[in-house]
Amino acid sequence: MPAPGRFRPGAGRHQDGVEEGAGSLQLLDGALVLTAGFAVADPVVGLAARLIKTLAGAGQWSDVARLACLSCMSPTDLATIAPAELEALVAGTRAGMPPGTVDHFDLVSRVDVRADLENLSVPTLVVAPTGDRLVHPESSRRLAAGIPGARLLELPGAAHVLNDADRGTWLRRVRAFLGALPAVSA
């Protein structure tokens, strides 16, 4: 199996000129893994981005954290949390928000890389968590369809933030994808 390469989360431009949408992007030894990704914001993620920017602009960071918990966790996972523990979850989510959160969601609402997808020429795996309430799974499906030769992996019922079981499935499937690629000489 190839050794892990660089991890590049969120949206950004890389030295090879590839710009990605949101979700997580991993460039690993000449392969690309996109999880909960999209080429252009759909109405759901667009509305969430606008709401997050508005709440953050008003200093309502605890409400941003509540929205993140609601949008990024599965209803099943949320239902397992005792009501008394929900505020601790919100507080932990708020504490873990990076300083660039507002900038990230500003970019999320503006990015459109659909025209660039046909130029990707590395093996690509697009992972669509089908229970994602932030990035609609259809957005990841369209992303995969726009990249020549991309493989689509659907994680049934998985949320935007993968729980332990879904992370384990994700890791096994990504390792299998990378392990099946031809060896790259250094």
Side-chain angles (χ1 to χ4, degrees):
M1 179 176 68
R6 297 177 305 276
F7 171 70
R8 308 258 183 157
R13 185 167 289 280
H14 302 288
Q15 70 262 7
D16 60 2
V18 176
E19 186 176 318
E20 77 280 3
S24 68
L25 176 135
Q26 293 171 312
L27 185 58
L28 301 167
D29 294 327
L32 192 59
V33 177
L34 300 160
T35 304
F38 58 88
V40 64
D42 65 37
V44 173
V45 76
L47 287 171
R50 184 173 178 183
L51 183 55
I52 288 168
K53 291 187 304 182
T54 300
L55 290 170
Q60 300 296 318
W61 286 99
S62 290
D63 289 332
V64 171
R66 285 183 185 88
L67 178 61
C69 292
L70 181 63
S71 300
C72 296
M73 294 181 68
S74 75
T76 302
D77 289 341
L78 278 173
T80 65
I81 300 170
E85 296 172 5
L86 282 175
E87 284 308 308
L89 172 66
V90 168
T93 301
R94 179 180 176 182
M97 288 183 181
T101 297
V102 174
D103 293 333
H104 172 77
F105 281 97
D106 179 56
L107 182 59
V108 161
S109 64
R110 295 182 293 110
V111 71
D112 185 349
V113 296
R114 291 174 289 187
D116 298 321
L117 297 179
E118 67 185 29
N119 298 320
L120 287 173
S121 60
V122 295
T124 302
L125 176 66
V126 177
V127 183
T130 65
D132 194 336
R133 298 186 296 176
L134 182 61
V135 175
H136 195 276
E138 188 57 34
S139 293
S140 292
R141 292 180 191 116
R142 284 192 298 270
L143 178 63
I147 300 171
R151 289 188 43 211
L152 176 66
L153 165 63
E154 294 192 4
L155 292 179
H160 190 74
V161 173
L162 304 178
N163 62 25
D164 289 341
D166 292 328
R167 273 193 300 276
T169 300
W170 179 92
L171 183 58
R172 282 189 300 280
R173 299 296 296 272
V174 168
R175 284 180 173 162
F177 169 74
L178 294 174
L181 296 176
V184 177
S185 58

